[in-house]
Amino acid sequence: MEDLTTITNLVQTYMGTVDRLKKDLSEQRGMLTDTFAGDPKYMEVEEKAKAIAKEKKQIKAGLLANPQAMELSQKVKDLAQELKEAQVMLSGYVVDYQKLTDATEIEDPEGNILQIVTISKLVRARGKNGSK
């Protein structure tokens, strides 16, 4: 039980550390942005960059009006979505494999050994002290 108390305290300590670092990072980014915004030469170049980005976007939209480019664009989107879904499924099956075998590694079809890495993160719970 002492280990659980120690781990709980460490989790809570690092939760506070993460929150503090997020706040500090936000403040520092704001100050850095203000530094850039205060420089006329930088702002002039920033405006030029925005104009070029807008022109690029217009040219890209024109190119995508071509049926062949539209079809390729849709294929790319479909494949990206399919890849994302396959990665989610693979992740779920790897979790199941690890639960069943207690293994930390798995062999791929070519015989390479891959390490199983689990990543956890905390999100606010709905209701009870975390309601939104």
Side-chain angles (χ1 to χ4, degrees):
M1 193 61 164
E2 186 178 311
D3 287 339
L4 178 59
T5 303
T6 302
I7 293 296
T8 301
N9 288 336
L10 286 169
V11 167
Q12 291 173 347
T13 298
Y14 275 92
M15 286 170 58
T17 300
V18 167
D19 287 343
R20 180 184 51 79
L21 288 170
K22 283 180 180 179
K23 182 181 174 198
D24 290 350
L25 180 59
S26 177
E27 290 172 2
Q28 295 299 315
R29 277 190 179 140
M31 289 191 289
L32 184 59
T33 300
D34 292 346
T35 299
F36 294 145
D39 185 85
K41 188 172 183 175
Y42 176 84
M43 291 309 294
E44 178 185 336
V45 172
E46 179 73 15
E47 288 302 316
K48 288 179 185 176
K50 285 180 184 178
I52 289 172
K54 184 178 180 179
E55 183 180 355
K56 177 185 170 189
K57 185 177 178 181
Q58 290 171 339
I59 292 169
K60 185 177 179 180
L63 290 171
L64 285 174
N66 174 332
Q68 190 176 15
M70 237 192 280
E71 186 180 327
L72 283 171
S73 177
Q74 189 58 50
K75 281 183 182 177
V76 167
K77 287 178 187 175
D78 292 346
L79 284 171
Q81 181 62 34
E82 190 177 334
L83 173 60
K84 187 175 180 179
E85 291 169 4
Q87 288 172 326
V88 168
M89 295 299 295
L90 174 60
S91 180
Y93 290 132
V94 168
V95 167
D96 292 345
Y97 174 84
Q98 188 175 30
K99 284 179 183 177
L100 289 172
T101 65
D102 285 332
T104 58
E105 297 177 332
I106 190 169
E107 187 175 327
D108 72 7
E110 288 81 36
N112 301 309
I113 302 297
L114 305 173
Q115 183 179 359
I116 298 172
V117 178
T118 305
I119 299 173
S120 300
K121 66 179 184 176
L122 296 172
V123 295
R124 298 259 179 239
R126 298 198 182 274
K128 194 177 174 185
N129 294 338
S131 62
K132 285 193 171 186

